[in-house]
Amino acid sequence: MVVYIEYALLENFLLDFVLLRLAFYASKVAVSGKRVCFSALLGAIFALLFPLLVLPIWLAVALKIAVGALLCLLAFGKMRNGKEWGRYALSTVFFFAFTFAFGGALTALLPSVPAKGLVGIGFALLTLLGVLFVRKLYEKRAVERFVYACTVKNGKKSARVSAFYDSGNTARYKNRPVCFLSPDIAWELWEEEMLETAGQVCDEMQISTLNGTRKTRLYKGKLTVEKETTVDEVYFAVSANMLSRGYSLLLHSQIFEDGRKTDE
């Protein structure tokens, strides 16, 4: 088998370059393109020389880990404080994670593809998936920053739910905040009220959605945001949109102002 050194060098350079870029993108660290190129070039050279070394397995693994950490260090640059050391460590973890993921996927792909060019396509797809994964990871993290553990009560009935603080929810009824609750939790707490016959007088309000304006029934209850606040009188509207999200309750934008500090 003929191995063209320049092609092997280019392939390994591109692989290390993309892995480094993904790692620093995931850790949200701005790095110099020149540093990344220099680091990727050293990684490509190491990849060509490594098969020529005769080492015990443990030493070979240790050498690969050390070189990987060095590549991240060279791309990162000088560190002046503990926070930057932490960012470097996080970038290194992401670098090894993407390396193992890409390596495993490409190893599984190689024996089954008829043309080497398809490996490049597979690598491009893996890169795209890596970027999408990082974006979803940070989107989820951003949402979780505003998610609170809450307890909703209706008389003696109560349910513990995850709630998202929505600064855009300004709905109020009788000068009390209106929160939006998933149907399953609402049914658990207000089953009797929901089964009442039509035409009976009840609290309701108009809400505007993308599909237009409609009336929705309101249910009165007590809300406790754990370690934050308790509101003794809150109105809850049922929203089926909660079913597709990672939480069951949408809090009012002024829920903390309307409540009192909880002792729980």
Side-chain angles (χ1 to χ4, degrees):
M1 182 177 67
V2 179
V3 177
Y4 295 96
I5 295 179
E6 59 273 21
Y7 291 154
L9 184 67
L10 180 60
E11 287 179 359
N12 283 288
F13 170 80
L14 291 175
L15 177 63
D16 285 333
F17 180 85
V18 170
L19 290 174
L20 286 167
R21 275 298 187 186
L22 276 176
F24 288 114
Y25 174 71
S27 61
K28 291 189 176 295
V29 175
V31 291
S32 165
K34 292 181 179 179
R35 284 184 173 276
V36 175
C37 287
F38 176 69
S39 182
L41 179 60
L42 290 183
I45 294 173
F46 172 75
L48 291 181
L49 297 178
F50 182 77
L52 303 179
L53 302 177
V54 181
L55 300 172
I57 295 178
W58 67 269
L59 186 56
V61 172
L63 181 60
K64 285 185 176 181
I65 293 174
V67 171
L70 177 62
L71 295 182
C72 292
L73 179 62
L74 292 174
F76 192 97
K78 188 176 181 180
M79 288 167 283
R80 295 175 290 274
N81 52 52
K83 184 178 180 180
E84 291 186 350
W85 275 102
R87 284 290 186 182
Y88 159 71
L90 180 61
S91 302
T92 304
V93 169
F94 275 121
F95 176 76
F96 284 118
F98 283 122
T99 298
F100 292 142
F102 276 46
L106 290 177
T107 299
L109 182 65
L110 276 172
S112 61
V113 295
K116 194 173 182 180
L118 292 180
V119 176
I121 296 175
F123 181 74
L125 290 175
L126 287 172
T127 303
L128 178 60
L129 289 175
V131 172
L132 294 176
F133 169 76
V134 172
R135 287 184 179 178
K136 287 294 182 182
L137 185 67
Y138 278 102
E139 285 176 5
K140 183 179 179 182
R141 184 181 176 186
V143 169
E144 288 176 348
R145 288 177 54 203
F146 298 97
V147 172
Y148 296 84
C150 299
T151 300
V152 180
K153 292 183 179 180
N154 175 33
K156 294 182 179 180
K157 295 182 179 180
S158 65
R160 195 168 183 271
V161 300
S162 293
F164 178 73
Y165 173 73
D166 182 10
S167 59
N169 177 19
T170 59
R172 300 184 76 89
Y173 181 76
K174 294 183 179 178
N175 202 32
R176 304 306 300 170
V178 176
C179 299
F180 294 86
L181 190 63
S182 65
D184 56 331
I185 304 298
W187 177 262
E188 180 182 339
L189 298 176
W190 288 280
E191 179 181 353
E192 293 82 2
E193 290 89 333
M194 288 182 169
L195 291 174
E196 288 177 355
T197 57
Q200 200 164 11
V201 177
C202 59
D203 293 311
E204 60 181 17
M205 68 177 294
Q206 282 192 339
I207 61 171
S208 298
T209 66
L210 294 176
N211 297 323
T213 302
R214 64 180 177 84
K215 281 189 176 182
T216 185
R217 187 168 179 181
L218 301 176
Y219 302 90
K220 190 187 299 183
K222 179 179 178 180
L223 173 66
T224 297
V225 183
E226 294 183 7
K227 300 181 181 179
E228 293 290 343
T229 190
T230 296
V231 188
D232 293 321
E233 190 174 293
V234 181
Y235 287 96
F236 297 92
V238 179
S239 174
N241 291 333
M242 298 295 110
L243 295 174
S244 61
R245 303 176 183 180
Y247 45 86
S248 302
L249 177 65
L250 198 64
L251 295 173
H252 190 274
S253 60
Q254 295 181 320
I255 198 68
F256 300 112
E257 290 82 351
D258 286 320
R260 52 182 170 80
K261 186 66 178 178
T262 180
D263 296 326
E264 297 181 18

